Amino acid sequence: MRGITPILQLLLTSSTLSQADCAPAAARDDLPVAIPSGVAPGPPGASRSLYGSQSFEGPDGNPVDPADSAEANDYQLVPGQNEDEDLGLYLDLESVPNPQPIRGTGGGTNGGPRNMLYEKLNSDLYAPPGTDAGDFGNAKWPMGLSHNRQGLDHAGFARQQNFEQLPIATQMAGVDMKLSPHAYRELHWHQANEWAFVFNGSVRVGAMDENGQTTYDDLNAGDVWFFPSGKPHTIQALDQGTEFLLIFDSGTFSEDNTFLATELFLRTPKSVLAKDLRTDISAFDNLPKSQLYIFPGTPAPANLSAQNITGPAGSITGNPYTYHFSQQDPYVVPGGSVKIIDPTTFPIASNFSAALVVVQPGAMREIHWHTDSDEWNFFISGNARITVFSAPASSRTFDFAAGDVGYVPFPDTHYIENTGDVDVVFLEVLQAPKFTDISVSQWLGLTPPQVVKDTLHLPDELVARLPKYKTYIVPGHTNLTDPNYGP
């Protein structure tokens, strides 16, 4: 039987009963149903016993079956799998039907039970590099495994990652939200600060501050907004619909704990609402019966000025809540590009710093660490892997695809290597007033050569070539089984 392991086959065989076996016990004097004391009787038609005989206990009486093997057969290794495990080459386990947890001289075959889909998607956990060591918490969460909260009438959805899904992520949490054309994210506010990146489509956002100043803007794919904690805001998809990423500055944030306008009205006495809004009780006869969360709406007017409502305090002008990041040209380097947004150019988001990074096939975001923040990643496209080193001697390698969240605690070192054949695009988000990092290669290049050689025993020619500048991204071979990058 395909996909059936020997032990499961044995269990299925031993539990296959004849029609006589399944007859009620009362009809079979030769096979009474054994019911130990304290065990509830089963349904009519049950036979045999829930428990085995005490004669099965201990040694002897159970000959070994030479045909029952734990070894896998009919498999092939992928390129690089027989190489030295400390090389840590990327293994494309998706290229073979029956991947095995073997790397160099380590590991062995896997005859199951198993979930091959997870093994193929996480080759560096299934057959880890020999340099992975010690104990390190999970640093990856696929949004595809998050509960999807549905909007009303096909208006959209939202799914989140917080410390419940990824306990290592203590500083930040994320929400992937989709709004269908004209749909709303209900009027609301949060305890946490909200930083957002638009994936696709167009969206109209608005907010009011404590002074009664307001702001409204239309944003497109690649743009950013920021709503400070406690500030009420509105989000509505335009004609194209929209999907966006929300990042909050607390790992305990939950989208389900948002302060909603409908809940405010439903949880406040109507007499108090009438007094506050100077109206009759009848004005509240048609309030929603429950929160709307994500719901269909009427189309927003094409002209933004038609909804740009202002009061005596006027508009928010000094520190706008939106930034048209899509209009910023990237900083292009060999192997890819980087765009940075932090309080230098978007001061309202005083502790959010982010980079939109593109890494070409074979290239790598250089080995680095951050000086004052954890790093929260979201992968927008492509495939990549990250190795995280944590003092004193632990490391773990994780594989990522579009829709995955990564998390690196401060000040652990890490890199992001493109393991596919298309560009990897990801967000690298910090809780910091400026986007900064320490480049390992630049650090070594700006350290006296004698110190580097005495410490790491590196050859003179390599030490002489170490860069004295930050490379951000380093190019590489598209053939990931070639580890040599000499001059």
Side-chain angles (χ1 to χ4, degrees), residues 10 13 19 40 72 107 121 129 159 211 224 234 247-248 256 263 284 350 468:
L10 175 64
T13 302
Q19 185 174 3
L121 290 175
R159 51 190 179 177
N211 299 315
V224 169
T234 177
I247 304 172
F248 298 89
D256 295 331
E263 292 289 357
F284 309 112
S350 60
K468 294 178 173 54

PDB file of all heavy atoms in Angstrom, residues 10 13 19 40 72 107 121 129 159 211 224 234 247-248 256 263 284 350 468:
ATOM      1  N   LEU A  10       1.135  -3.370   9.754  1.00  0.00           N
ATOM      2  CA  LEU A  10       0.898  -4.392  10.762  1.00  0.00           C
ATOM      3  C   LEU A  10      -0.334  -4.058  11.591  1.00  0.00           C
ATOM      4  O   LEU A  10      -1.177  -4.914  11.861  1.00  0.00           O
ATOM      5  CB  LEU A  10       2.132  -4.513  11.657  1.00  0.00           C
ATOM      6  CG  LEU A  10       2.019  -5.475  12.856  1.00  0.00           C
ATOM      7  CD1 LEU A  10       1.834  -6.910  12.343  1.00  0.00           C
ATOM      8  CD2 LEU A  10       3.249  -5.379  13.735  1.00  0.00           C
ATOM      9  N   THR A  13      -3.407  -4.614   9.536  1.00  0.00           N
ATOM     10  CA  THR A  13      -3.675  -6.031   9.349  1.00  0.00           C
ATOM     11  C   THR A  13      -4.256  -6.653  10.613  1.00  0.00           C
ATOM     12  O   THR A  13      -5.233  -7.396  10.586  1.00  0.00           O
ATOM     13  CB  THR A  13      -2.384  -6.767   8.958  1.00  0.00           C
ATOM     14  OG1 THR A  13      -1.865  -6.179   7.765  1.00  0.00           O
ATOM     15  CG2 THR A  13      -2.659  -8.247   8.720  1.00  0.00           C
ATOM     16  N   GLN A  19     -16.402 -10.727   9.597  1.00  0.00           N
ATOM     17  CA  GLN A  19     -17.769 -10.426  10.000  1.00  0.00           C
ATOM     18  C   GLN A  19     -18.081 -11.090  11.332  1.00  0.00           C
ATOM     19  O   GLN A  19     -18.743 -10.523  12.199  1.00  0.00           O
ATOM     20  CB  GLN A  19     -18.742 -10.905   8.913  1.00  0.00           C
ATOM     21  CG  GLN A  19     -20.200 -10.514   9.211  1.00  0.00           C
ATOM     22  CD  GLN A  19     -21.112 -10.859   8.054  1.00  0.00           C
ATOM     23  OE1 GLN A  19     -20.683 -11.432   7.065  1.00  0.00           O
ATOM     24  NE2 GLN A  19     -22.373 -10.510   8.182  1.00  0.00           N
ATOM     25  N   ALA A  40     -15.131   1.999  30.812  1.00  0.00           N
ATOM     26  CA  ALA A  40     -16.520   2.028  30.370  1.00  0.00           C
ATOM     27  C   ALA A  40     -16.735   1.046  29.226  1.00  0.00           C
ATOM     28  O   ALA A  40     -15.864   0.904  28.356  1.00  0.00           O
ATOM     29  CB  ALA A  40     -16.895   3.436  29.923  1.00  0.00           C
ATOM     30  N   ALA A  72      15.058   3.716   4.680  1.00  0.00           N
ATOM     31  CA  ALA A  72      14.362   4.122   3.456  1.00  0.00           C
ATOM     32  C   ALA A  72      15.070   3.524   2.249  1.00  0.00           C
ATOM     33  O   ALA A  72      16.267   3.250   2.271  1.00  0.00           O
ATOM     34  CB  ALA A  72      14.348   5.635   3.349  1.00  0.00           C
ATOM     35  N   GLY A 107      23.694  12.242   9.661  1.00  0.00           N
ATOM     36  CA  GLY A 107      22.310  11.900   9.380  1.00  0.00           C
ATOM     37  C   GLY A 107      22.120  10.447   9.019  1.00  0.00           C
ATOM     38  O   GLY A 107      22.932   9.578   9.324  1.00  0.00           O
ATOM     39  N   LEU A 121      10.423  21.963   2.193  1.00  0.00           N
ATOM     40  CA  LEU A 121      10.408  23.414   2.356  1.00  0.00           C
ATOM     41  C   LEU A 121      11.422  23.892   3.388  1.00  0.00           C
ATOM     42  O   LEU A 121      11.752  25.080   3.426  1.00  0.00           O
ATOM     43  CB  LEU A 121       9.010  23.882   2.768  1.00  0.00           C
ATOM     44  CG  LEU A 121       7.905  23.778   1.711  1.00  0.00           C
ATOM     45  CD1 LEU A 121       6.557  24.151   2.313  1.00  0.00           C
ATOM     46  CD2 LEU A 121       8.211  24.677   0.516  1.00  0.00           C
ATOM     47  N   PRO A 129      23.194  22.293   8.156  1.00  0.00           N
ATOM     48  CA  PRO A 129      24.640  22.434   8.000  1.00  0.00           C
ATOM     49  C   PRO A 129      25.353  21.938   9.251  1.00  0.00           C
ATOM     50  O   PRO A 129      24.824  22.027  10.369  1.00  0.00           O
ATOM     51  CB  PRO A 129      24.825  23.948   7.828  1.00  0.00           C
ATOM     52  CG  PRO A 129      23.496  24.453   7.348  1.00  0.00           C
ATOM     53  CD  PRO A 129      22.479  23.566   7.992  1.00  0.00           C
ATOM     54  N   ARG A 159      -4.654  37.914   8.841  1.00  0.00           N
ATOM     55  CA  ARG A 159      -3.969  36.857   9.579  1.00  0.00           C
ATOM     56  C   ARG A 159      -2.743  37.475  10.230  1.00  0.00           C
ATOM     57  O   ARG A 159      -2.151  38.416   9.707  1.00  0.00           O
ATOM     58  CB  ARG A 159      -3.581  35.701   8.651  1.00  0.00           C
ATOM     59  CG  ARG A 159      -2.827  36.113   7.398  1.00  0.00           C
ATOM     60  CD  ARG A 159      -2.688  34.968   6.440  1.00  0.00           C
ATOM     61  NE  ARG A 159      -1.982  35.353   5.225  1.00  0.00           N
ATOM     62  CZ  ARG A 159      -1.683  34.512   4.243  1.00  0.00           C
ATOM     63  NH1 ARG A 159      -2.038  33.236   4.328  1.00  0.00           N
ATOM     64  NH2 ARG A 159      -1.047  34.926   3.172  1.00  0.00           N
ATOM     65  N   ASN A 211      -5.263  66.744  19.071  1.00  0.00           N
ATOM     66  CA  ASN A 211      -5.552  68.164  18.916  1.00  0.00           C
ATOM     67  C   ASN A 211      -6.697  68.428  17.939  1.00  0.00           C
ATOM     68  O   ASN A 211      -7.042  69.584  17.698  1.00  0.00           O
ATOM     69  CB  ASN A 211      -4.301  68.909  18.443  1.00  0.00           C
ATOM     70  CG  ASN A 211      -3.161  68.795  19.432  1.00  0.00           C
ATOM     71  OD1 ASN A 211      -3.369  68.954  20.638  1.00  0.00           O
ATOM     72  ND2 ASN A 211      -1.960  68.512  18.940  1.00  0.00           N
ATOM     73  N   VAL A 224       4.077  53.648   2.530  1.00  0.00           N
ATOM     74  CA  VAL A 224       4.119  53.364   3.962  1.00  0.00           C
ATOM     75  C   VAL A 224       3.217  54.346   4.704  1.00  0.00           C
ATOM     76  O   VAL A 224       3.117  55.517   4.325  1.00  0.00           O
ATOM     77  CB  VAL A 224       5.571  53.484   4.485  1.00  0.00           C
ATOM     78  CG1 VAL A 224       5.631  53.461   6.002  1.00  0.00           C
ATOM     79  CG2 VAL A 224       6.446  52.369   3.894  1.00  0.00           C
ATOM     80  N   THR A 234      -8.822  55.415   9.860  1.00  0.00           N
ATOM     81  CA  THR A 234      -9.696  54.742   8.908  1.00  0.00           C
ATOM     82  C   THR A 234      -8.872  54.220   7.748  1.00  0.00           C
ATOM     83  O   THR A 234      -7.884  54.851   7.333  1.00  0.00           O
ATOM     84  CB  THR A 234     -10.792  55.701   8.383  1.00  0.00           C
ATOM     85  OG1 THR A 234     -11.579  55.030   7.400  1.00  0.00           O
ATOM     86  CG2 THR A 234     -10.187  56.947   7.748  1.00  0.00           C
ATOM     87  N   ILE A 247       2.802  46.258  10.993  1.00  0.00           N
ATOM     88  CA  ILE A 247       3.803  45.844  11.964  1.00  0.00           C
ATOM     89  C   ILE A 247       3.611  46.689  13.218  1.00  0.00           C
ATOM     90  O   ILE A 247       3.521  47.926  13.139  1.00  0.00           O
ATOM     91  CB  ILE A 247       5.229  45.996  11.416  1.00  0.00           C
ATOM     92  CG1 ILE A 247       5.370  45.211  10.102  1.00  0.00           C
ATOM     93  CG2 ILE A 247       6.255  45.496  12.429  1.00  0.00           C
ATOM     94  CD1 ILE A 247       6.674  45.453   9.385  1.00  0.00           C
ATOM     95  N   PHE A 248       3.542  46.022  14.365  1.00  0.00           N
ATOM     96  CA  PHE A 248       3.296  46.688  15.641  1.00  0.00           C
ATOM     97  C   PHE A 248       4.504  46.514  16.558  1.00  0.00           C
ATOM     98  O   PHE A 248       5.189  45.489  16.504  1.00  0.00           O
ATOM     99  CB  PHE A 248       2.038  46.118  16.285  1.00  0.00           C
ATOM    100  CG  PHE A 248       0.794  46.340  15.466  1.00  0.00           C
ATOM    101  CD1 PHE A 248       0.401  45.413  14.502  1.00  0.00           C
ATOM    102  CD2 PHE A 248       0.032  47.488  15.632  1.00  0.00           C
ATOM    103  CE1 PHE A 248      -0.730  45.633  13.727  1.00  0.00           C
ATOM    104  CE2 PHE A 248      -1.098  47.710  14.862  1.00  0.00           C
ATOM    105  CZ  PHE A 248      -1.479  46.781  13.909  1.00  0.00           C
ATOM    106  N   ASP A 256      -7.037  40.924  17.365  1.00  0.00           N
ATOM    107  CA  ASP A 256      -8.359  40.709  17.952  1.00  0.00           C
ATOM    108  C   ASP A 256      -8.630  41.619  19.143  1.00  0.00           C
ATOM    109  O   ASP A 256      -9.767  41.667  19.634  1.00  0.00           O
ATOM    110  CB  ASP A 256      -8.502  39.250  18.390  1.00  0.00           C
ATOM    111  CG  ASP A 256      -8.455  38.290  17.211  1.00  0.00           C
ATOM    112  OD1 ASP A 256      -8.862  38.698  16.109  1.00  0.00           O
ATOM    113  OD2 ASP A 256      -8.002  37.146  17.387  1.00  0.00           O
ATOM    114  N   GLU A 263     -17.826  48.371  18.650  1.00  0.00           N
ATOM    115  CA  GLU A 263     -17.818  47.870  20.014  1.00  0.00           C
ATOM    116  C   GLU A 263     -17.961  49.013  21.022  1.00  0.00           C
ATOM    117  O   GLU A 263     -18.607  48.861  22.072  1.00  0.00           O
ATOM    118  CB  GLU A 263     -16.539  47.080  20.284  1.00  0.00           C
ATOM    119  CG  GLU A 263     -16.441  45.763  19.522  1.00  0.00           C
ATOM    120  CD  GLU A 263     -17.416  44.710  20.040  1.00  0.00           C
ATOM    121  OE1 GLU A 263     -18.133  44.977  21.031  1.00  0.00           O
ATOM    122  OE2 GLU A 263     -17.459  43.618  19.448  1.00  0.00           O
ATOM    123  N   PHE A 284     -30.013  55.497  17.399  1.00  0.00           N
ATOM    124  CA  PHE A 284     -29.181  54.306  17.523  1.00  0.00           C
ATOM    125  C   PHE A 284     -29.954  53.018  17.251  1.00  0.00           C
ATOM    126  O   PHE A 284     -29.497  51.926  17.576  1.00  0.00           O
ATOM    127  CB  PHE A 284     -28.570  54.262  18.930  1.00  0.00           C
ATOM    128  CG  PHE A 284     -27.884  55.545  19.308  1.00  0.00           C
ATOM    129  CD1 PHE A 284     -28.408  56.355  20.312  1.00  0.00           C
ATOM    130  CD2 PHE A 284     -26.750  55.971  18.642  1.00  0.00           C
ATOM    131  CE1 PHE A 284     -27.795  57.543  20.653  1.00  0.00           C
ATOM    132  CE2 PHE A 284     -26.132  57.161  18.966  1.00  0.00           C
ATOM    133  CZ  PHE A 284     -26.654  57.961  19.981  1.00  0.00           C
ATOM    134  N   SER A 350       8.911  57.361  15.004  1.00  0.00           N
ATOM    135  CA  SER A 350      10.161  57.731  15.676  1.00  0.00           C
ATOM    136  C   SER A 350      11.021  56.543  16.074  1.00  0.00           C
ATOM    137  O   SER A 350      12.209  56.726  16.354  1.00  0.00           O
ATOM    138  CB  SER A 350       9.845  58.569  16.924  1.00  0.00           C
ATOM    139  OG  SER A 350       9.028  57.821  17.816  1.00  0.00           O
ATOM    140  N   LYS A 468      36.831  47.997   3.461  1.00  0.00           N
ATOM    141  CA  LYS A 468      36.759  49.007   4.504  1.00  0.00           C
ATOM    142  C   LYS A 468      35.458  49.794   4.410  1.00  0.00           C
ATOM    143  O   LYS A 468      35.290  50.826   5.060  1.00  0.00           O
ATOM    144  CB  LYS A 468      37.972  49.923   4.413  1.00  0.00           C
ATOM    145  CG  LYS A 468      39.292  49.212   4.732  1.00  0.00           C
ATOM    146  CD  LYS A 468      40.479  50.123   4.595  1.00  0.00           C
ATOM    147  CE  LYS A 468      41.762  49.422   5.082  1.00  0.00           C
ATOM    148  NZ  LYS A 468      42.007  48.124   4.419  1.00  0.00           N
TER     149      LYS A 468
END
